[in-house]
Amino acid sequence: MTPEQLPIEQYDAQLAEKVSRLQAMMVPFAAPDVEVFRSPVSHYRMRAEFRIWHDGDDLYHIIFDQETKQRIRVDQFPAASELINQLMAELMAALRDNRTLRFKLFQIDYLSTMSNQIVISLLYHRKLDEEWQQAATLLRDALRAKGYQLHLIGRATKTKIFLDQDFVDESLPVAGRDMIYRQVENSFTQPNAAMNIQMLEWALNVTQNSQGDLLELYCGNGNFSLALARNFRRVLATEIAKPSVASAQYNIAANNIDNVQIIRMAAEEFTQAMNGTRSFNRLEGIDLTSYECETIFVDPPRSGLDSETVAMVQAYPRILYISCNPQTLCDNLATLAETHDVSRLALFDQFPYTHHMECGVLLTRKA
């Protein structure tokens, strides 16, 4: 397989293998059957990053084979959105004869949306000056004249120049409502938008008729918090990354949601605050005791939950856990299964044609 060809005919078999593997991993926890959510078989990635190769007068995108480290030229990338593919070709055609914009350019990052917006970041091994900014402005205007809703960014060491904005606003149809999500360049967003919609709708389904409030750790730009807000009285969410917190605050206002509170802290810090072992100025004016959280939602990094946070989440009757690494999920479940049962299990095929799996479990406290 090359980057310009997807083995679409193998998709069903590969997905079946993942389902079988996940079911086997969950046997020790007496998990129910896997609920399976398929990805589109092409154009599913909303973001992509490519190195740029200079070959005399020519210029093109490349990726590196992970096993052989060989350089592979990429003119089209069917895993990425159709918008990214269109602009890959447009951009190379515009950059080849533009010395100001191509000089020491080594990488291009694309972040697109289902709402047809895109932000493109050009990364350089040199200082960016006024001449670069003028040339970049002309390029942006030329592409906009072709109908693209496009924003352009230049990056170099300790430098970031954005000509008007460094974000796009995504609109996702989630269980009958259009949810607006601001996505900032170089910040985390779910890469597979179609799968993200299915994850949000599954989370809404398993939390139907919930009692009390929701606590969420690692909330990012509010992706889950805002969608789930309709199922709870109030939502209290934590996030450590400043750009994500700012996006989350924007998204709360953009979606006219009035029952979500975002706190900028790490999950470990919040655990200390909840346990009363540390006090934080950031929590001034927030009465943690007023929240009646019957459900806690976690979507941790690949490393999973640390032992203190695992102990903390066990205090909640229901735990909703989204994981991008089933192995660390199972490590956490070894402890969580002492107090909770796995009542729902889902596989979200976020990364087709790879061994990676995204999964979700709903844990309910043992009777």
Side-chain angles (χ1 to χ4, degrees):
M1 183 185 102
T2 72
E4 298 190 341
Q5 293 175 309
L6 293 175
I8 291 172
E9 70 285 351
Q10 297 174 26
Y11 179 79
D12 288 336
Q14 290 180 351
L15 181 57
E17 186 278 327
K18 290 181 184 181
V19 173
S20 175
R21 183 154 42 101
L22 180 60
Q23 197 86 59
M25 293 175 78
M26 301 299 280
V27 164
F29 311 110
D33 288 342
V34 182
E35 301 166 55
V36 183
F37 296 89
R38 300 168 60 89
S39 172
V41 294
S42 65
H43 302 304
Y44 47 84
R45 283 193 65 91
M46 292 293 111
R47 61 175 200 251
E49 301 174 0
F50 301 96
R51 287 301 179 105
I52 299 302
W53 193 257
H54 299 254
D55 186 4
D57 291 335
D58 203 3
L59 185 79
Y60 46 84
H61 300 84
I62 62 165
I63 61 172
F64 292 97
D65 186 294
Q66 290 185 330
E67 292 178 7
T68 66
K69 307 302 179 189
Q70 273 189 306
R71 182 177 74 247
I72 304 169
R73 177 171 177 158
V74 183
D75 293 322
Q76 287 289 278
F77 193 63
S81 69
E82 291 185 7
L83 183 56
I84 289 176
N85 278 275
Q86 290 166 17
L87 277 158
M88 285 172 68
E90 293 270 18
L91 211 53
M92 285 302 102
L95 292 174
R96 277 192 186 97
D97 298 324
N98 192 320
R99 176 168 168 74
T100 303
L101 292 179
R102 69 173 281 174
F103 181 56
K104 298 220 170 179
L105 172 68
F106 73 92
Q107 183 168 317
I108 299 180
D109 298 348
Y110 298 87
L111 171 62
S112 65
T113 67
M114 292 180 80
S115 50
N116 231 28
Q117 297 181 27
I118 189 164
V119 59
I120 299 175
S121 303
L122 307 176
L123 282 63
Y124 291 88
H125 285 312
R126 69 175 175 93
K127 189 176 179 180
L128 301 181
D129 54 18
E130 185 69 29
E131 185 185 2
W132 178 88
Q133 193 159 336
Q134 289 173 357
T137 301
L138 289 172
L139 172 60
R140 179 204 63 188
D141 293 348
L143 290 170
R144 284 185 177 175
K146 294 184 176 184
Y148 293 109
Q149 299 178 60
L150 172 141
H151 308 287
L152 212 54
I153 293 173
R155 282 186 170 276
T157 306
K158 296 182 181 178
T159 303
K160 176 179 174 180
I161 299 173
F162 51 93
L163 303 181
D164 41 11
Q165 65 187 54
D166 64 346
F167 60 83
V168 285
D169 288 334
E170 176 64 287
S171 178
L172 300 179
V174 179
R177 293 188 197 172
D178 288 336
M179 300 294 300
I180 297 166
Y181 292 107
R182 177 152 292 179
Q183 301 181 346
V184 178
E185 177 263 357
N186 215 32
S187 296
F188 176 78
T189 54
Q190 296 287 346
N192 186 328
M195 189 51 55
N196 188 28
I197 292 168
Q198 295 186 75
M199 289 166 63
L200 294 174
E201 292 184 338
W202 180 81
L204 275 167
N205 178 266
V206 302
T207 57
Q208 272 183 349
N209 306 314
S210 292
Q211 302 296 311
D213 304 320
L214 171 69
L215 172 62
E216 180 182 357
L217 309 182
Y218 316 96
C219 78
N221 68 350
N223 184 54
F224 282 95
S225 335
L226 303 188
L228 289 172
R230 67 184 93 166
N231 279 359
F232 294 89
R233 186 182 66 141
R234 290 190 296 171
V235 178
L236 181 64
T238 72
E239 172 57 46
I240 189 61
K242 267 187 181 177
S244 294
V245 172
S247 294
Q249 300 290 12
Y250 172 85
N251 295 336
I252 288 171
N255 290 286
N256 299 308
I257 292 172
D258 60 7
N259 63 335
V260 175
Q261 171 83 51
I262 307 286
I263 303 170
R264 187 174 168 256
M265 6 181 34
E268 295 79 7
E269 292 176 324
F270 188 78
T271 301
Q272 293 166 345
M274 290 294 286
N275 292 340
T277 56
R278 269 184 78 187
S279 59
F280 295 87
N281 292 335
R282 280 165 281 169
L283 292 175
E284 201 171 315
I286 298 172
D287 181 9
L288 293 181
T289 61
S290 73
Y291 283 85
E292 298 171 4
C293 296
E294 299 285 308
T295 307
I296 186 166
F297 177 87
V298 292
D299 183 5
R302 289 189 62 77
S303 54
L305 300 174
D306 64 272
S307 56
E308 282 188 8
T309 306
V310 167
M312 190 265 277
V313 304
Q314 281 183 294
Y316 295 84
R318 298 202 304 172
I319 305 164
L320 184 56
Y321 191 139
I322 298 288
S323 171
C324 59
N325 185 346
Q327 188 54 62
T328 55
L329 170 63
C330 288
D331 294 343
N332 289 159
L333 286 177
T335 304
L336 295 174
E338 295 169 4
T339 52
H340 290 70
D341 293 318
V342 178
S343 56
R344 296 282 290 269
L345 170 64
L347 169 65
F348 307 103
D349 198 18
Q350 179 95 255
F351 307 102
Y353 316 111
T354 75
H355 70 281
H356 293 293
M357 290 190 287
E358 187 110 359
C359 54
V361 292
L362 178 68
L363 299 156
T364 52
R365 185 180 284 154
K366 292 179 186 290

